[in-house]
Amino acid sequence: MIDFRSGAWGRRTALAAATVLVGLAPAHAQRASKASKNKAAVAVAATSSRVDPTDSVALRKIYDEALLRGQSYENLRYLTGTIGARLSGSPQAQQAVEWGKLTMEKAGFDRVYLQEVMVPHWVRGKKERGEIVGNKGKEVKVAVCALGGSVGTGGKLKAGVVEVRSFEELRALPEAAVKGKFVFFNRPFDDALIEPGTAYGRAGDQRRSGAIEAAKRGAVGALVRSLTSARDDNPHTGTMSYDPAVTKVPAAALSTNAADRLSLLLKANSQLEFELEMACETLPDVKSYNVVGEIKGSKLPEEIITVGGHLDSWDLGQGAHDDGTGVVQSIEALRLLKATGYRPERTVRAVLFMNEENGNRGGMEYARLAAQNKENHLAAIESDGGGFTPRGFNIEADPATVAKFNKWSPLLEPYHAGGVKAGHGGTDIGPLKDAVKPKALIGFDGDSQRYFDIHHTSEDTFDKVNRRELELGGAAMASLIYLLSKYGL
């Protein structure tokens, strides 16, 4: 996530001026004198003991290629518009696999191949229906959707409702107050938090485990407030889980407007009921694939740098920001290196992971094969926070390694991507940590303030993605790969 630090803007302004002079594309840079260019290059390089004057030139080439001839946006247009939502096990997920392989082959990577993986196959069925029913039979329709992995209702399911804000509050209630009812988990995002991702994490347990906790107390189902600070009628899906030792009950997300309305009506009439109808079900696992493309390293090919996003998406929208943007940026990062004539010293892989949303089977299989093949992974980068304006990178590593990344910040700051801090790398690359112990897991950090407005909803569509922001993200990732490949860790 994002960490705007006061004082960064002053450094960015000065370094931007220096880097533009070194750059090759802007017209005013081309007209600058040779002496001015050399002076600017030295000024930028002097900010880090681990870079030389050619690095700022190389990064400027990457950004020029991305901004003037980038392919991420058009690739995303096809992925989201022609193929669409790509829930694991669906025909669209298989089409996305074929598209990813063909796209990387056309890009001319040294090797493109598939990794087979068995994935869950959950289907939503017909559109869900939810109604608040008063004691006089008056019905109020509200926006609901099934949470991923939920069982269906087996027709219409009507019951009373008990509202709670936490698992502790639920456990404190007498059994008679819960048994035979829906448990309505209504803990909102903490909007005082600057990072929406932190709010998402703190509210997420009610979605992931709400059905388990509700069933333990004898409830017939779980209703969960959507994980967003937006106030609208767009329910947010997302994965949930069951405990084999606990009865499976249906779990649905309410839009924030629906949750607010239900809460208000419950205060006026605690005896009201909720009627839910969902036809979702889990089918047998399906064979699918990770898609892998790589450029072999020129000097240290046995050392691997992975960059990736997840190819699957939820089924309500088009999977644009989550995670179509990460997929096309990962492909583009390798293409940018090729297009600018840079041959990485270490092997670089773009991996399109399958099944991040409801199982992470692709990430686990990639790590298993890496361990089985005794691969040496230097680092892994993931883009799974939307294709918004780049801010920098989150580094999951020891403090000494994080400090090494900070030495590269001055090179990235002119492009507003120099924010480097300790943080979460990514779900897909997470299994590598134990499997092959890379020196760093890295999460691409884009501006996340709008991300959870559309996350896991029908609003996650291509038109919500800005072309320039998307291409800047791919360039930031390619630039970091360039530095990792050249200097290692």
Side-chain angles (χ1 to χ4, degrees), residues 103-124:
T103 300
M104 289 200 277
E105 287 172 343
K106 287 182 176 179
F109 300 162
D110 294 340
R111 184 185 177 205
V112 180
Y113 56 98
L114 303 179
Q115 292 179 334
E116 182 178 314
V117 57
M118 297 300 291
V119 299
H121 187 196
W122 178 83
V123 294
R124 185 173 300 278

Side-chain angles (χ1 to χ4, degrees), residues 25 31 64 77-78 129 177 207 262 348 378 466 468 475:
R31 293 193 298 268
D64 286 346
R77 185 194 301 275
Y78 186 92
R129 188 181 64 84
R207 189 195 73 195
L262 178 56
V348 181
L378 176 70
N466 178 274
R468 186 172 177 84

Side-chain angles (χ1 to χ4, degrees), residues 168-218:
E168 291 74 22
E169 185 179 341
L170 171 62
R171 292 165 188 154
L173 291 174
E175 184 176 343
V178 180
K179 190 172 183 179
K181 295 183 179 181
F182 284 104
V183 175
F184 169 34
F185 294 97
N186 193 29
R187 187 189 331 142
F189 261 32
D190 184 351
D191 284 338
L193 296 170
I194 302 302
E195 296 290 353
T198 304
Y200 177 76
R202 292 184 182 180
D205 61 338
Q206 56 192 342
R207 189 195 73 195
R208 294 188 302 271
S209 304
I212 297 173
E213 296 300 322
K216 285 180 179 177
R217 303 305 311 282

Side-chain angles (χ1 to χ4, degrees), residues 62-120:
I62 288 172
Y63 274 88
D64 286 346
E65 175 66 23
L67 292 174
L68 299 176
R69 293 170 292 276
Q71 296 182 10
S72 295
Y73 194 65
E74 291 307 315
N75 280 339
L76 184 65
R77 185 194 301 275
Y78 186 92
L79 178 62
T80 58
T82 301
I83 297 176
R86 308 167 298 280
L87 188 59
S88 291
S90 68
Q92 292 82 5
Q94 179 58 31
Q95 291 170 25
V97 167
E98 295 165 3
W99 166 86
K101 183 173 185 291
L102 180 61
T103 300
M104 289 200 277
E105 287 172 343
K106 287 182 176 179
F109 300 162
D110 294 340
R111 184 185 177 205
V112 180
Y113 56 98
L114 303 179
Q115 292 179 334
E116 182 178 314
V117 57
M118 297 300 291
V119 299

Side-chain angles (χ1 to χ4, degrees), residues 208-259:
R208 294 188 302 271
S209 304
I212 297 173
E213 296 300 322
K216 285 180 179 177
R217 303 305 311 282
V220 298
L223 305 174
V224 182
R225 182 187 186 91
S226 286
L227 302 185
T228 178
S229 59
R231 299 294 191 271
D232 57 30
D233 290 310
N234 299 315
H236 293 229
T237 192
T239 193
M240 52 80 66
S241 61
Y242 288 116
D243 183 333
V246 179
T247 301
K248 293 181 179 181
V249 298
L254 301 180
S255 72
T256 51
N257 282 348

Side-chain angles (χ1 to χ4, degrees), residues 161-429:
V161 181
V162 57
E163 179 179 356
V164 298
R165 293 292 184 103
S166 67
F167 292 162
E168 291 74 22
E169 185 179 341
L170 171 62
R171 292 165 188 154
L173 291 174
E175 184 176 343
V178 180
K179 190 172 183 179
K181 295 183 179 181
F182 284 104
V183 175
F184 169 34
F185 294 97
N186 193 29
R187 187 189 331 142
F189 261 32
D190 184 351
D191 284 338
L193 296 170
I194 302 302
E195 296 290 353
T198 304
Y200 177 76
R202 292 184 182 180
D205 61 338
Q206 56 192 342
R207 189 195 73 195
R208 294 188 302 271
S209 304
I212 297 173
E213 296 300 322
K216 285 180 179 177
R217 303 305 311 282
V220 298
L223 305 174
V224 182
R225 182 187 186 91
S226 286
L227 302 185
T228 178
S229 59
R231 299 294 191 271
D232 57 30
D233 290 310
N234 299 315
H236 293 229
T237 192
T239 193
M240 52 80 66
S241 61
Y242 288 116
D243 183 333
V246 179
T247 301
K248 293 181 179 181
V249 298
L254 301 180
S255 72
T256 51
N257 282 348
D260 288 343
R261 189 162 196 181
L262 178 56
S263 182
L264 183 64
L265 292 174
L266 276 170
K267 288 178 174 63
N269 174 17
S270 62
Q271 302 304 309
L272 62 74
E273 294 181 305
F274 194 90
E275 185 171 283
L276 180 66
E277 187 173 8
M278 303 194 309
C280 47
E281 61 178 326
T282 298
L283 303 176
D285 287 358
V286 172
K287 181 167 66 177
S288 191
Y289 305 89
N290 294 328
V291 188
V292 184
E294 67 181 36
I295 299 175
K296 189 173 183 180
S298 61
K299 294 183 180 179
L300 297 167
E302 72 283 357
E303 290 193 16
I304 298 167
I305 300 167
T306 291
V307 58
H310 62 86
L311 194 52
D312 64 304
S313 76
W314 285 111
D315 56 324
L316 296 180
Q318 295 178 329
H321 278 290
D322 188 21
D323 184 29
T325 55
V327 165
V328 297
Q329 285 173 332
S330 299
I331 297 172
E332 183 73 353
L334 270 66
R335 190 198 71 82
L336 290 171
L337 297 178
K338 282 183 60 68
T340 54
Y342 177 68
R343 183 78 187 188
E345 296 183 17
R346 291 163 169 85
T347 294
V348 181
R349 282 184 188 160
V351 183
L352 315 185
F353 295 96
M354 182 56 70
N355 184 231
E356 186 272 349
E357 293 293 5
N358 60 338
N360 198 28
R361 301 274 186 88
M364 290 188 289
E365 181 64 7
Y366 181 74
R368 186 190 72 80
L369 290 172
Q372 176 181 290
N373 296 329
K374 296 180 171 55
E375 294 178 343
N376 179 8
H377 284 250
L378 176 70
I381 306 169
E382 181 162 0
S383 174
D384 186 19
F388 299 102
T389 303
R391 293 294 182 241
F393 298 92
N394 298 318
I395 312 298
E396 192 172 335
D398 60 69
T401 301
V402 175
K404 291 178 183 179
F405 281 92
N406 271 298
K407 291 183 178 180
W408 292 329
S409 289
L411 282 167
L412 297 168
E413 281 186 343
Y415 308 102
H416 308 309
V420 174
K421 64 182 185 297
H424 177 60
T427 299
D428 292 293
I429 61 177

